């Protein structure tokens, strides 16, 4: 079994316990994707689960949006691998009281998300259950293996896009307010950064992962997997325009709100020294890779202790 380099916290204690129980029957647990070598290239596989009441609520999203969001979350793992999607498999659980229209609307969303990145629906399964749940498995082709591990001292730490939009929508809903329309779109219809991931992989990315649990948590995951220290300047974060209003309501600086917020599905990437930028899509340098372990978050020279999302907290 390959060495597991996992971040701190109970989530990874659970993965370690599973890995120990499986022993030689498992390999490479803890990464964004699993790789199988096929014809000199790499088949990248990943699976993601979206559960009603945990990842979404019906009073927030329509069924098509729920399907899109679930598929895009899984496809985002392929983006982090620099892989080109082939397609998705979708296993749906829907309560017995729901009609056929619920299944078709959910699958319309799944198919639309797959089609948006030139993939197709390959198959799946249907079942009855107490709440809506979508288990999405994705497959893609990568020219090389690109994982969380691989970042080296001297590399720069970069992110695509803007951070905190999905978190701003969630904060508004939780407070009983309608979210900013642009923030709602970031939550309801996230766009997996397939083209950006492929470009970054082709231009020397040493490690990459998507920001599903928030920069605060996922930076720790990348640092642990690569056995390095990340020094991140939060004043450099590209913050979504909807964040400042929600940050004021929460009584904290926008950069801290954006760093904690999850489900943006942007890419966190380590790139070699001297990388000039010029990617043709939003890409911001937010820090450096150094010798050591862990992550130091600073805002205007002051350190901040930040934690990411834990499903079982």
């Amino acid at each position: 079994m390959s060495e597991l380099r996992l971040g701190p916290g109970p989530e990874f204690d659970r993965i370690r316990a599973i890995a120990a129980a499986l022993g030689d029957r498992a390999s490479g647990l803890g990464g964004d994707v699993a790789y199988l070598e096929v014809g000199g290239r790499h088949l990248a596989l990943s699976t993601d689960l979206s559960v009603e009441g945990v990842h979404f609520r019906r009073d927030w999203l329509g069924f098509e949006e729920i399907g899109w969001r679930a598929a895009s979350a899984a496809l985002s793992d392929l983006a982090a691998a620099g892989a080109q999607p082939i397609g998705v498999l979708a296993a749906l659980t829907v309560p017995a009281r729901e009609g056929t229209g619920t299944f078709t609307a959910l699958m319309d969303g799944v198919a639309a998300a797959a089609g948006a990145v030139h993939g197709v629906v390959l198959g799946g399964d249907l079942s009855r259950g107490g709440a809506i749940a979508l288990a999405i498995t994705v497959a893609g082709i990568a020219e090389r293996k690109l994982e969380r591990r691989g970042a080296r001292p001297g590399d720069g730490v970069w992110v695509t896009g803007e951070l905190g939009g999905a978190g701003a929508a969630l904060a508004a809903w939780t407070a009983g307010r309608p979210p900013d329309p642009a923030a709602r779109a970031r939550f309801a219809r996230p766009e997996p950064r397939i083209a950006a991931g492929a470009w970054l992989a082709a231009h020397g990315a040493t490690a990459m992962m998507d920001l599903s649990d928030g920069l605060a948590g996922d930076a720790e995951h990348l640092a642990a997997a690569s056995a390095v220290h990340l020094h991140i300047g939060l004043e450099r974060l590209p913050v979504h325009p909807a964040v400042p209003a929600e940050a004021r309501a929460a009584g904290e600086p926008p950069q801290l709100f954006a760093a904690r917020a999850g489900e943006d599905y942007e890419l966190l990437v380590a790139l070699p020294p001297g990388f000039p930028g010029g990617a043709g899509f939003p890409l911001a340098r937010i820090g450096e890779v150094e010798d050591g372990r862990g992550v130091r978050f600073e805002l205007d020279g002051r350190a901040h202790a930040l934690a990411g999302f834990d499903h079982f907290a």
Side-chain angles (χ1 to χ4, degrees):
M1 182 173 178
S2 59
E3 177 189 6
L4 285 176
R5 290 179 178 172
L6 302 176
E11 178 182 357
F12 290 100
D13 289 342
R14 298 181 193 103
I15 296 175
R16 290 186 187 95
I18 292 169
L22 292 175
D24 292 338
R25 295 172 293 171
S27 177
L29 300 185
D32 290 311
V33 301
Y35 288 102
L36 297 174
E37 189 167 346
V38 180
R41 295 195 295 175
H42 300 281
L43 179 64
L45 301 168
S46 186
T47 192
D48 204 80
L49 186 62
S50 186
V51 179
E52 182 178 2
V54 178
H55 300 93
F56 63 87
R57 283 171 41 177
R58 297 192 197 201
D59 53 334
W60 296 350
L61 304 177
F63 291 132
E64 188 272 344
E65 290 175 323
I66 292 168
W68 173 288
R69 189 170 180 274
S72 291
L75 288 163
S76 183
D77 285 335
L78 295 185
Q84 179 58 48
I86 298 171
V88 307
L89 295 100
L92 305 187
T93 300
V94 174
R97 65 180 180 274
E98 299 291 340
T100 303
T102 300
F103 287 96
T104 56
L106 290 167
M107 285 306 303
D108 279 345
V110 171
V117 294
H118 308 293
V120 297
V121 176
L122 299 169
D125 194 19
L126 304 175
S127 180
R128 182 175 62 190
I132 293 175
L134 300 90
I136 307 293
T137 300
V138 294
I141 293 292
E143 296 300 322
R144 66 181 178 98
K145 293 175 69 173
L146 180 57
E147 301 175 304
R148 302 177 181 188
R149 66 177 67 196
R152 301 166 300 208
D155 288 350
V157 180
W158 301 70
V159 293
T160 63
E162 297 170 331
L163 305 186
L170 180 60
W173 273 316
T174 302
R177 293 181 276 103
D180 173 272
R184 185 191 185 282
R186 288 303 306 269
F187 185 93
R189 294 183 71 87
E191 298 180 7
R193 303 305 188 192
I194 298 295
W199 192 94
L200 291 164
H203 286 77
T206 56
M208 189 156 60
M209 65 181 300
D210 72 330
L211 292 175
S212 56
D213 293 339
L215 177 67
D218 288 327
E220 290 277 4
H221 302 162
L222 190 146
S226 294
V228 294
H229 180 265
L230 305 186
H231 184 188
I232 293 177
L234 295 174
E235 66 279 356
R236 306 187 205 178
L237 291 193
V239 175
H240 189 278
V243 164
E246 296 301 334
R248 283 194 298 272
E252 65 179 349
Q255 297 89 345
L256 296 187
F257 183 102
R260 291 192 181 98
E263 300 187 303
D264 283 311
Y265 299 107
E266 296 294 348
L267 299 177
L268 175 66
V269 57
L271 289 159
F275 173 75
F281 52 84
L283 183 66
R285 181 166 182 162
I286 62 169
E288 293 75 39
V289 181
E290 302 172 342
D291 286 315
R293 298 291 188 274
V295 181
R296 180 178 176 87
F297 294 102
E298 290 186 354
L299 179 58
D300 298 325
R302 180 182 174 187
H304 291 267
L306 301 178
F309 180 74
D310 178 3
H311 279 281
F312 294 93

